[in-house]
């Protein structure tokens, strides 16, 4: 015997509103259920949209930061290459030995260790590429040697301090007056990490008192935390646009003097570029890269609402002026 | 709404791709810069 025809086992869970409204009086079953459902879905949509917008803003900000860093890096690279060209021109015989030695010494280092300062800046950004993870690793295997480098920074005439902003934290531990220079020489030690051996001497140039000559001894064994802040505030550019002093300081180790002022030139010898594993400068000089930078700037500007408003105001003002002059 | 959402997603993808490209370029620049600095050292 079949019971199915007698007993209805279905639960009738169909939420058809018309069905509901036909069963129950309209006042008691509000259509609020449906409205609520719609409202909930719209809220979800709004949340998703706002999350998307937020993510877009974050990525755009990161993009802008990267562009700035890249610009600074290009400037520094060009300045360094220019200095190398000058050095090659002045000392044509010396570089071959030093090149071989340095390449022999540096070859075992992994590319991760070679990417130094900027990597630490990139550690602040939140993108999750695999190479960035590797870049966050500190330079642990960095060997410290008595490397001496000199940087010259032009300051304002009113500035009498001996402060060279290079992105590191320094503790002043002494000052003395030397015979050859009327301005005092200040001694600093890197205070970021207790084990960091880097020392810095700062003194005004004899020839031009507006130039501060900073001489660095050793290499930092820690990341430069405040470099990013400097890059964003343009302090690096200040350093990069300074004039080279010609003060000669006696030292036992090899001395590097950075000429960061003159505009970049192509290397005098094409093989030199190949030796340094270049290609980067060629990328920078390519129209493609230039176009890319232009596009970046254009997109940054067009995204800025205040810039749009200013542009619109300028154009409309111009048009009004033209109309008035025609009348 | 769907169109706006898809436009947002598209823009996000574009900016992310640009970001990746910039990161790569920056990495290359860093490598070159360090190679040059090592050469000078």
């Amino acid at each position: 015997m079949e019971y199915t025809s007698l007993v209805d086992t279905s639960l009738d869970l169909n939420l058809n509103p018309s069905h509901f409204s036909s069963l129950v009086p309209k006042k008691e079953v509000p259509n609020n259920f449906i409205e609520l459902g719609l409202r909930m879905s719209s809220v979800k949509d709004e949340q998703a949209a706002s999350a998307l917008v937020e993510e877009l803003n974050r990525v755009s900000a990161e993009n802008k930061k990267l562009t700035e860093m890249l610009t600074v890096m290009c400037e520094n690279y060009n300045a360094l290459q220019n200095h190398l060209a000058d050095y090659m021109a002045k000392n044509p015989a010396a570089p071959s030995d030093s090149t071989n030695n340095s390449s022999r010494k540096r070859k075992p280092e992994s590319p991760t260790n070679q990417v130094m300062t900027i990597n630490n800046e990139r550690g602040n950004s939140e993108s999750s590429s695999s190479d960035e993870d590797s870049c966050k690793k500190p330079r642990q295997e960095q060997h410290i040697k008595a490397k001496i480098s000199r940087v010259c920074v032009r300051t304002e005439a009113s500035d009498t301090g001996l402060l060279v902003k290079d992105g590191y934290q320094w503790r002043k531990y002494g000052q003395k007056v030397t015979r050859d220079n009327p301005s005092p020489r200040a001694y600093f030690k890197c205070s970021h990490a207790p084990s960091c051996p880097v020392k810095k001497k700062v003194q005004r140039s004899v020839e031009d008192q507006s130039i501060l000559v900073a001489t660095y001894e050793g290499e930092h064994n820690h990341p430069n935390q405040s470099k990013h802040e400097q890059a964003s505030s343009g302090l690096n550019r200040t350093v990069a646009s300074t004039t080279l002093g010609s003060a000669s300081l006696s030292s036992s180790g090899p001395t590097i003097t950075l000429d960061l002022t003159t505009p970049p030139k192509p290397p005098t010898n094409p093989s030199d570029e190949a030796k340094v594993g270049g290609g980067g400068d060629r990328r920078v000089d390519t129209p493609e890269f230039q176009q890319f930078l232009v596009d970046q700037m254009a997109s940054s500007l067009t995204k800025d609402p205040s810039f749009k408003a200013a542009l619109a105001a300028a154009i409309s003002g111009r048009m009004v002026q033209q109309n008035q002059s025609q009348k | 709404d769907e169109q706006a959402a898809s436009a947002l997603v598209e823009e996000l993808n574009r900016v992310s791709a640009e970001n990746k490209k910039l990161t790569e370029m920056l990495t290359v620049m860093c490598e070159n810069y360090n190679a040059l600095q090592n050469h000078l050292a």
Side-chain angles (χ1 to χ4, degrees), chain A residues 205-279:
Chain A
S205 171
V206 185
E207 286 86 2
D208 187 348
Q209 290 290 310
S210 66
I211 296 172
L212 278 174
V213 182
T215 308
Y216 297 87
E217 286 180 37
E219 283 185 50
H220 294 277
N221 59 3
H222 58 86
N224 185 354
Q225 296 292 340
S226 58
K227 193 88 176 174
H228 173 70
E229 291 165 20
Q230 292 218 351
S232 58
S233 64
L235 285 173
N236 272 351
R237 282 169 224 175
T238 312
V239 173
S241 62
T242 54
T243 311
L244 171 71
S246 57
S248 61
L249 301 171
S250 60
S251 61
S252 55
T255 305
I256 304 164
T257 307
L258 294 180
D259 183 357
L260 301 175
T261 53
T262 44
K265 295 186 289 194
T268 49
N269 186 359
S271 63
D272 295 337
E273 195 181 25
K275 275 179 204 168
V276 296

Side-chain angles (χ1 to χ4, degrees), chain A residues 9-124:
Chain A
T9 55
S10 69
L11 294 172
D12 196 12
L13 293 175
N14 185 13
L15 290 174
N16 188 358
S18 57
H19 178 66
F20 261 113
S21 56
S22 64
L23 287 175
V24 190
K26 274 186 183 175
K27 281 185 181 177
E28 286 185 28
V29 175
N31 281 335
N32 290 352
F33 281 123
I34 302 150
E35 283 174 21
L36 191 66
L38 287 172
R39 216 177 293 155
M40 279 173 71
S41 67
S42 68
V43 165
K44 276 181 188 173
D45 285 350
E46 276 176 17
Q47 280 177 348
S50 68
L52 266 177
V53 170
E54 204 174 314
E55 177 71 4
L56 188 61
N57 289 338
R58 192 187 64 75
V59 176
S60 297
E62 200 175 314
N63 216 325
K64 196 180 169 188
K65 208 188 283 179
L66 278 168
T67 310
E68 283 173 5
M69 282 162 68
L70 193 59
T71 312
V72 171
M73 196 67 213
C74 288
E75 283 173 6
N76 290 347
Y77 181 83
N78 287 334
L80 196 58
Q81 202 176 40
N82 185 44
H83 171 65
L84 179 67
D86 281 354
Y87 181 75
M88 294 286 191
K90 282 176 191 168
N91 308 299
S96 60
D97 289 335
S98 65
T99 309
N100 292 337
N101 288 339
S102 65
S103 62
R104 237 178 279 139
K105 267 187 271 175
R106 302 285 176 172
K107 255 187 180 175
E109 282 189 2
S110 66
T112 308
N113 286 338
Q114 285 182 353
V115 184
M116 296 191 302
T117 313
I118 298 293
N119 294 338
N120 299 313
E121 294 166 14
R122 288 172 58 207
N124 295 333

